[in-house]
Amino acid sequence: MEDNYKEILSKLESTASLKQAIYRSTAEVFGLTKTILSKIAAKLHSDYTTKDPSVEVNYKENNLFEAQLKFSGDMLMISMHSNVFNFEEGHSIFQTSYVKADQSLSYCGVIYVHNFLADSIKYNRLADEGSLIARILINKEKHFLVEGDGSLGFLYEDFEANVITEENLTDILERSILLCLNTDLLLSPFAKIKDVTLHQKQSLIAASGYPTGKRLGYLFSSEIQQNNP
């Protein structure tokens, strides 16, 4: 039993304390990310909305773990996960000399970057779908990598070389905004959504209209039926 207790103490030292350190690092990075996003909002508001006041730009911090930037019909949402993760066994990160030298460097906190339609949030359309644009993975040394769409899928892959700075966080957020602006809301073919029962239609009205999203446009009739059995 004494050996078990010693192992518990050892695990707390090697894992629990490590995860607390990573949580603190991630929280600091997320705080900086929120500050940068608010600066981008202020600059966009100053440089653009004076030209066209109908285009709304504003920043809002929802809670400790989430903030959002609304720009016209889009919403960029950043959120921090409160837990710490490791990579699946066999992930390429374990083959890097950086992680081989210290296995604890593979543990990361996560910041997510999502895109939703602003109306999805405004009208609380819970069936609407958003899109995960990127996730930023941060270790105890504030080294990071980014998994994401477009250029964010390959620009920040070097875990050892990438260290969090205001400059690279700004670049990640600006590229995320561009991905939002370059993704149009597309209608599904009319023939695929034209058949709907009264029950389905009433259910859709109760949910503030047709479910929609940046990725899907209107749901196909088969998906409407699945959501309204």
Side-chain angles (χ1 to χ4, degrees):
M1 289 189 8
E2 183 66 23
D3 288 342
N4 290 337
Y5 187 72
K6 287 181 179 178
E7 185 175 355
I8 290 170
L9 290 176
S10 175
K11 288 291 185 182
L12 284 173
E13 182 179 358
S14 64
T15 304
S17 293
L18 168 66
K19 290 182 178 180
Q20 287 299 313
I22 294 168
Y23 174 86
R24 290 191 295 270
S25 292
T26 307
E28 289 175 14
V29 173
F30 188 60
L32 177 58
T33 306
K34 289 189 289 185
T35 298
I36 294 169
L37 193 62
S38 68
K39 288 181 180 179
I40 292 173
K43 196 169 189 303
L44 284 173
H45 188 274
S46 173
D47 291 341
Y48 190 80
T49 57
T50 52
K51 299 177 183 178
D52 186 355
S54 67
V55 177
E56 184 181 355
V57 177
N58 62 62
Y59 168 84
K60 178 183 177 184
E61 188 168 330
N62 298 325
N63 54 57
L64 183 64
F65 297 105
E66 184 179 271
Q68 63 189 43
L69 170 65
K70 181 182 185 299
F71 47 104
S72 189
D74 277 293
M75 189 77 75
L76 187 77
M77 301 186 73
I78 58 172
S79 56
M80 172 187 156
H81 203 292
S82 61
N83 296 115
V84 171
F85 300 86
N86 203 349
F87 293 87
E88 291 184 354
E89 186 178 349
H91 193 280
S92 59
I93 199 170
F94 294 111
Q95 302 306 313
T96 65
S97 57
Y98 177 61
V99 172
K100 281 183 177 180
D102 182 353
Q103 290 288 316
S104 70
L105 295 172
S106 65
Y107 286 87
C108 291
V110 186
I111 295 173
Y112 295 99
V113 183
H114 283 93
N115 177 212
F116 285 91
L117 292 170
D119 279 358
S120 298
I121 310 300
K122 180 179 180 179
Y123 298 114
N124 196 34
R125 295 195 308 229
L126 300 179
D128 285 10
E129 292 199 11
S131 177
L132 177 62
I133 293 176
R135 61 180 182 181
I136 308 168
L137 311 172
I138 305 131
N139 74 4
K140 66 179 182 180
E141 296 184 344
K142 294 185 182 176
H143 284 235
F144 76 99
L145 59 83
V146 178
E147 299 173 330
D149 284 340
S151 57
L152 292 175
F154 59 84
L155 282 179
Y156 295 100
E157 291 183 313
D158 192 337
F159 200 29
E160 182 174 5
N162 296 333
V163 181
I164 290 289
T165 65
E166 185 169 349
E167 182 181 3
N168 53 39
L169 283 176
T170 300
D171 181 61
I172 292 166
L173 291 174
E174 288 179 346
R175 288 178 185 276
S176 297
I177 292 169
L178 284 171
L179 282 167
C180 297
L181 292 170
N182 289 331
T183 304
D184 291 321
L185 180 61
L186 302 177
L187 283 168
S188 295
F190 179 80
K192 293 202 173 182
I193 63 168
K194 74 182 187 69
D195 295 324
V196 60
T197 67
L198 179 60
H199 176 266
Q200 290 167 352
K201 179 58 180 171
Q202 297 291 53
S203 298
L204 291 171
I205 291 173
S208 302
Y210 281 95
T212 188
K214 288 296 289 288
R215 183 178 65 85
L216 287 177
Y218 292 115
L219 290 179
F220 292 167
S221 57
S222 60
E223 294 173 302
I224 293 174
Q225 291 167 10
Q226 181 179 349
N227 291 338
N228 297 277

